[in-house]
Structure formats: C-alpha cells, structure tokens
Amino acid sequence: MVKDLKIVSIIILMALALVLSSLIIGLADEWQQIVVYTRSLTVHALAVSSNNSGAIINITITAIKPGSGYVYVASSPLPTAESGTFLSSSQIAALVATYLANQPFNEYNFLINVEPTTLEIGGPSASGYMTVAMWALITNHTLNPDVVMTGMILPDGSIGPVGGLPSKIEAAAQEGYEIVLIPYGQQIYQTSSGQVINLISYGKSLGVDVIPVMDVRQAIYYFTGANLSIPSVSTQVLKNQAYVNVTKFLWMRIYNRIISTGAINSTDPNVTNYIKKAINYGNQNMYYTAASLGFQGLINYYQDEMQNYTSQQLSGLLNQLNIELQNYENTLQHYNVTTANIDIIIGIYDRIFDAQQSLSAAAQDLSSNDISDAISNLAYAKARIETLGDWLAVLNAIKGGAPLSEFYLEDLTSMYLVYAQSITEYTLSLSSAVGVSSVLQGMNSITQEVQEAQNNYQNGLYPLALAQSLDVISSNDAMLHLLFTPIINGEINTGYLVNVTDYVKELAIFNTYEAENRCGLFPMLAVSYIDFGNYYLTRYNSTGNINDLTAALQLYELAASYSQALYELASSTNSCSISFTISSIVPINASNASLNVAPNQPISYNTVPLAVGIALIALAAGVAVFSIKSLKATQT
C-alpha cells in the first residue's frame, strides 16, 4: 500500500510539473484554470538480473491530455542498459501508440515510472509492452492480466528481438502468467553458450503458452481482443498519376542520357546488361526500377569512358563537378519545406551528400595516385550530379502543402537521431551477446552514418539528418531480423526471412497507403523503395539468391520508416489534407537551376487519396547483406 502511494505521489508531482512547464510557459504573472485528463496503468515487465535469473519489474505509465508530445521517465536508478535505449525506445513507443490509435502524437504526454530496483532492464525489451499500454490508455482499453510480454518496439510497429528469453519465461511462469508474448523468430532461441532451445516447448513444460508476435498489433489483440491487423493493400493503389508522371520523367531523363552519351552502343556487358533490363522495365511501365537500373548502367559507362583520362583531366572533372554540386546545394537551401515537398527535399539532400562523399573520396584517391578508385568515385558522382537536376525539376513542380517550421523539424529529427544512435548501440550489444563477431565489422558503415547524421543535425541540415537517421534505423531493423534468423542444421532458415520480408512489405505498403489516404501526402520515396524492393524480391523468387531477399527486406524497411515519419510530421502539426498541386515537370540542370518554374497543367490534390548501412554480414552460413546506402546508390 505504501509503495502504491509513493508511485501515485510521484505521478501527481510529475503531472503538476509537466502541466506547469508545458501549458503555462510565458504566463508566470497570472493564473490559468485548465482541465487535464490522466489515466494510468501498470505493466509487469520481464527482466533479467545480473546473475541471469528472471524477474518482474513494475512500470507505471500515465497518459496526460492535453500534452505536447513529451515522454518523461522516472526511476531510481535510471535504466542504462544498452546505452540508454530504454529512454529513446519509450519515445518510439509513444509515437507508434498514438499512430495506431489515430491520435496526434503531440496531443499527449506520457509519464513512465519504473519501480526502484537494482535490476537492469534489458534496454528496450519492455518497449513493445509499453506501446500496448500507451495504446490502451488513450483508447480506453484494459489489459488481460494473464498475458505478459517482452520485445522491443521498432518505429514501423514491428517487435524486435531481445535477450534472456528463457529466464524471462521462467519468471513469468513463477508469477502465474498464462501467456508470454515473445518476438517472432526467437521461438528457436540460441544462448550465448550455443545452446538451442525451443521456447514454445520450454514454455509448455513450465505451464505457460509462449506465442511469437511479429507486430505490436498482434500483441494488442492478445492483451485486449482489439483486431488491428494490417489490411491487404495492392501496390498498384499507391501508384497514382502523380507518381507515374514523376517516375516516368526520371526514367525518360535517364534514357535520353543513355542515348545521347552513346551508352546504348556500349559493348561492355556491365553496361549493356543494366541498360537492357532498364528498357525492359520501362516498357512495362515500372519506371522507377527502370531509372535505377539505367542509372547503374550510366555509372558503368562513365567508368569505361574515363579509363583513358589523364590525371589532369580527372582533376579538371573533379573541379567541374564540385562547382555544379555547390550550385545545386545553394539552390536547395532557398526552398521552404512543406508537407508536400519534404519527401523530395529529403531525397535531394541525401543524393547531394552521397555525391559530396564520392567527390571527397575521389580527391583523396587522386592525391595518392589511386587512379582506379578515383575513376569509380568520379563516375558515380558524375551520374549522381547529372540526375540532381531531374530531382530539382520535380521539386519545382510541387506547389502548396503546409509549411513545416524549422523548430518542429529539429525536434522530430532529434528524436529519430537519438533512437538511431541508441538502436545502433543495442545492435552492437546484442551481436556481442549472441557471439556473432562478424556483425561488428559490418556495423562500421552504420556507425559512420550515425556520426554523419549527428554532424548534419548540428549544422542545421535537419532533412538530411532525418533521412540518415531513418536509414540507420532501417538498417538496424533489418540487421536485427538477420541476426536472429534461426539456424537449422547449420543452414539459415530462409522460410523465416521470407515471412519477415513479406510482413515488412505488407507493412510498408500499408504505411504508405495511410500516408496518402489519411494525410493526403505524396510519399514518393517510400513508393519508389517498395517498387525497387519488389524488383529484388522477384529476383529472389527466380534465383533463390538470399542476397536479393535481404536487399528487398531492407528496402521495405526503409519504405515503412519513411512513410510513417512523413505521416508523423504532418499529423503532429495538424497539417494533413492540405492541398497542393504538381505541375508539368520542366527539365533543368546545374546552370539554370531555378526556383521559379511556372506551373503548367497542374494535378490538384486535396482530401482525395493519393492513389538501403550494412556492408557485409555473415550469419552462421555466410549471408551477404546489401547496405541501404549501397542500395540507394544504385537508384537514380
């Protein structure tokens, strides 16, 4: 009873402080009467102590309305496992919960009080459970007391892997729970010592039903009976006329370069194979895939073309490309970010940064007389910079939408950046725990991108930092799925990866559909990544090459994260269904980049529907995995 009173007292004090700080700022000289609604419940998180025995930790969550989108955590001591992932995953839990409840994120605040304990909460292992609780609070549902859960929440709503599952199941059985929800894929669990345990059978021996769940929606069903299953949506529904027009424009610009440069007549199979496939997909109206394959063909053609360049000619090209790139970057900085164009602006910033990195690498290569690498980097930069004008032309054609303040972009980017940093540390921690040392080598590019995102955030390049943070999160999402892919008799369980990939594809399509239909947005990048993911999935179904399957998985993860982030940007600022137009796209280049392209024959949208890193990872059987950054480098 005393313990309960202490918890209630803490919650009341936190609520009062929160109300005073977030609702009466600037009004210190006068009193205001306001009405605050609160609702609380306690979840019983499964934890593992320092001696690896299971335990239960009580976490009391309070939802407060009105709010400002803040999550406050109180505990003594604060959970610090996996570099503070508990704190950042609590924010992601609130983001996902409000999204699933169809409520604006910034209309609520959440208070989380962790029962004082010397036990360490396993990083974000309770965040899936907390997401269920937050959703139940704001939708007025109650939780089934016979069910308990462990699993980390990922930004796309899927449930990621956690450690210490046998001990946690034992603790649940001792406490009398009947059902234990665990992350899908971990039902065949391998301990750090190499022991393999069937957790479903193990649970039965202890008198509990262990049920794997892939998504927090499934967990909500077991806790409340509410069915939030993802409805089936056809990819074709996403391809509204605006998307078709834009991707066709991008493809035709690539195709014209293939013709004008003479690449169409190349005898190099590294060039012709890509070009033939590009033309084939273009003829099937799969324009984004066609443009991406054609883009790769151009890169290879420019590599061939530069083989006879002298060092002086390569240096001259480097200087020319740097000037053109700077022109594009200067032009982009003058655009106002809106709900209608942020997707394209993020894409352009991402591509500018890729080109900058390639030019910087080329300069170092030339200074060290590494001509071969210099040519590779210059060929990529040349193709990338040539196509920047095409993306800027698309940006010029988009008019309208709701302005997004720099303050809000900074706030949202900060949240995703913190989560990107902490989930990277979490992946590193788990890979060490399960003894997959090769993952640590493959994480170098991810940690580098985290640092780049941090630098860009500090320099005020919030759209770019947001894009990089989403890349990192998506890379880690895919890495965690791969890291815990069951190994049966020394071979990877491809059935698990197929199921995960199909699920993430379904989620990506649904999230993108929701962004279009619930918020009237134009998630161009998300639809494009789904398209390119379909290309790799089709290849896998034909060849059985697992690298194609993992490439598809990462692209779908990226699409799911991008579309949900766009939705959060618009819904949290009450900017859904703000009308915009997309006019005919007028080609431009580095020399005539303009902010004043006149609209022509606009397509108007109001409330109508707007119908990948990881360099190399070796699981036990040696699976090569594409990075999101390298996957994006193959796209126009």
Side-chain angles (χ1 to χ4, degrees):
M1 183 65 178
V2 173
K3 182 189 298 182
D4 291 341
L5 288 174
K6 286 182 178 179
I7 292 175
V8 172
S9 298
I10 291 173
I11 291 172
I12 292 173
L13 289 173
M14 291 175 67
L16 288 173
L18 182 61
V19 169
L20 288 172
S21 63
S22 64
L23 297 178
I24 317 181
I25 293 175
L27 298 172
D29 58 341
E30 60 182 82
W31 291 92
Q32 282 196 344
Q33 183 175 355
I34 58 175
V35 178
V36 177
Y37 297 93
T38 67
R39 189 165 182 249
S40 300
L41 61 77
T42 299
V43 299
H44 311 289
L46 298 173
V48 179
S49 66
S50 57
N51 64 2
N52 292 325
S53 61
I56 301 291
I57 294 180
N58 295 329
I59 302 176
T60 299
I61 303 171
T62 300
I64 298 177
K65 186 177 182 180
S68 304
Y70 294 118
V71 178
Y72 296 87
V73 176
S75 177
S76 178
L78 278 172
T80 57
E82 283 81 40
S83 300
T85 325
F86 179 86
L87 303 177
S88 57
S89 63
S90 299
Q91 292 180 309
I92 298 298
L95 198 70
V96 173
T98 51
Y99 174 79
L100 292 177
N102 197 20
Q103 296 288 315
F105 172 62
N106 60 353
E107 287 190 6
Y108 291 86
N109 289 323
F110 293 94
L111 312 177
I112 300 173
N113 184 71
V114 182
E115 182 179 287
T117 177
T118 57
L119 292 173
E120 219 180 49
I121 297 176
S125 66
S127 59
Y129 199 170
M130 290 193 297
T131 306
V132 174
M134 290 174 176
W135 178 88
L137 285 172
I138 59 182
T139 58
N140 294 313
H141 282 79
T142 56
L143 301 184
N144 186 336
D146 296 324
V147 181
V148 71
M149 175 183 180
T150 185
M152 70 179 294
I153 190 67
L154 300 179
D156 61 10
S158 59
I159 299 298
V162 294
L165 283 175
S167 298
K168 291 177 178 178
I169 293 172
E170 291 167 6
Q174 290 172 2
E175 292 293 325
Y177 289 100
E178 297 178 3
I179 296 175
V180 180
L181 306 181
I182 66 170
Y184 173 77
Q186 289 196 283
Q187 55 266 38
I188 306 298
Y189 186 84
Q190 183 171 349
T191 66
S192 57
S193 63
Q195 181 184 8
V196 177
I197 303 174
N198 184 318
L199 293 181
I200 296 177
S201 299
Y202 185 61
K204 287 186 182 301
S205 70
L206 298 174
V208 297
D209 290 330
V210 175
I211 301 177
V213 292
M214 191 177 289
D215 180 281
V216 71
R217 296 169 175 85
Q218 296 170 328
I220 287 173
Y221 172 77
Y222 283 105
F223 273 105
T224 70
N227 187 356
L228 301 182
S229 59
I230 302 172
S232 178
V233 179
S234 169
T235 307
Q236 294 303 316
V237 173
L238 306 178
K239 298 180 180 180
N240 57 76
Q241 192 59 48
Y243 177 77
V244 172
N245 290 348
V246 169
T247 53
K248 184 176 183 179
F249 168 79
L250 294 174
W251 159 235
M252 292 309 300
R253 293 287 289 171
I254 291 286
Y255 180 74
N256 289 339
R257 290 187 183 91
I258 290 172
I259 300 298
S260 63
T261 60
I264 191 73
N265 299 318
S266 173
T267 58
D268 183 350
N270 290 326
V271 177
T272 57
N273 287 344
Y274 278 109
I275 290 177
K276 287 179 180 178
K277 287 192 290 186
I279 293 173
N280 178 51
Y281 280 101
N283 290 336
Q284 298 177 50
N285 300 331
M286 298 177 65
Y287 298 124
Y288 188 79
T289 297
S292 298
L293 295 171
F295 178 74
Q296 187 61 49
L298 273 179
I299 295 173
N300 292 344
Y301 176 74
Y302 291 151
Q303 283 183 294
D304 289 347
E305 194 178 45
M306 294 177 194
Q307 294 301 318
N308 297 322
Y309 279 28
T310 64
S311 296
Q312 185 176 2
Q313 288 175 312
L314 292 174
S315 295
L317 177 60
L318 175 65
N319 292 333
Q320 174 192 336
L321 292 175
N322 270 314
I323 292 171
E324 292 180 5
L325 185 61
Q326 188 63 54
N327 190 13
Y328 281 122
E329 186 173 7
N330 291 341
T331 299
L332 186 60
Q333 290 175 359
H334 290 87
Y335 280 83
N336 294 321
V337 182
T338 72
T339 53
N341 68 20
I342 184 173
D343 191 57
I344 302 300
I345 286 178
I346 284 175
I348 297 176
Y349 267 119
D350 212 6
R351 286 157 175 78
I352 285 176
F353 188 73
D354 283 348
Q356 287 174 336
Q357 286 189 308
S358 293
L359 291 177
S360 177
Q364 294 177 1
D365 295 334
L366 289 173
S367 66
S368 61
N369 203 33
D370 188 349
I371 303 301
S372 177
D373 283 350
I375 288 174
S376 296
N377 283 308
L378 283 171
Y380 174 76
K382 177 177 170 62
R384 177 59 74 206
I385 292 170
E386 282 181 348
T387 55
L388 280 175
D390 304 336
W391 285 88
L392 196 61
V394 173
L395 179 59
N396 275 336
I398 301 175
K399 309 295 181 184
L404 293 171
S405 71
E406 186 170 300
F407 172 79
Y408 184 74
L409 279 174
E410 178 184 6
D411 195 42
L412 189 74
T413 301
S414 174
M415 184 184 69
Y416 275 102
L417 176 58
V418 169
Y419 191 72
Q421 293 168 326
S422 56
I423 195 175
T424 299
E425 292 298 326
Y426 179 68
T427 304
L428 287 167
S429 175
L430 281 183
S431 62
S432 298
V434 298
V436 185
S437 59
S438 58
V439 173
L440 300 176
Q441 299 174 358
M443 288 292 292
N444 289 337
S445 59
I446 294 180
T447 54
Q448 179 185 350
E449 189 162 13
V450 170
Q451 184 59 55
E452 292 165 356
Q454 178 66 43
N455 294 338
N456 288 313
Y457 174 79
Q458 292 175 346
N459 292 329
L461 295 174
Y462 303 127
L464 176 55
L466 177 60
Q468 291 172 320
S469 298
L470 292 171
D471 290 353
V472 168
I473 292 168
S474 301
S475 293
N476 278 287
D477 286 356
M479 174 74 86
L480 289 167
H481 285 307
L482 293 164
L483 185 61
F484 285 89
T485 298
I487 308 297
I488 301 176
N489 297 325
E491 295 185 1
I492 291 175
N493 182 354
T494 55
Y496 164 81
L497 277 181
V498 168
N499 289 341
V500 167
T501 301
D502 286 342
Y503 163 76
V504 177
K505 174 184 177 180
E506 184 180 20
L507 182 64
I509 293 172
F510 178 73
N511 282 359
T512 306
Y513 177 79
E514 290 282 89
E516 286 187 347
N517 287 270
R518 278 171 61 179
C519 217
L521 300 173
F522 181 47
M524 162 76 189
L525 292 177
V527 182
S528 299
Y529 295 148
I530 291 170
D531 264 9
F532 211 40
N534 291 343
Y535 163 75
Y536 279 107
L537 187 58
T538 300
R539 282 205 340 184
Y540 168 74
N541 291 333
S542 174
T543 66
N545 188 332
I546 199 168
N547 294 331
D548 292 330
L549 180 62
T550 56
L553 170 62
Q554 292 183 78
L555 284 163
Y556 294 143
E557 288 280 11
L558 196 62
S561 296
Y562 264 63
S563 54
Q564 185 164 335
L566 287 176
Y567 176 85
E568 291 299 338
L569 269 169
S571 64
S572 296
T573 54
N574 299 315
S575 303
C576 287
S577 301
I578 302 296
S579 63
F580 64 94
T581 60
I582 303 178
S583 63
S584 294
I585 307 171
V586 179
I588 60 177
N589 54 46
S591 61
N592 70 350
S594 169
L595 306 181
N596 300 308
V597 178
N600 183 31
Q601 300 176 354
I603 302 172
S604 180
Y605 297 88
N606 195 341
T607 57
V608 296
L610 295 177
V612 205
I614 307 169
L616 185 68
I617 176 178
L619 299 176
V623 180
V625 180
F626 296 109
S627 72
I628 284 179
K629 184 177 288 188
S630 64
L631 280 171
K632 292 169 83 173
T634 66
Q635 303 174 68
T636 183

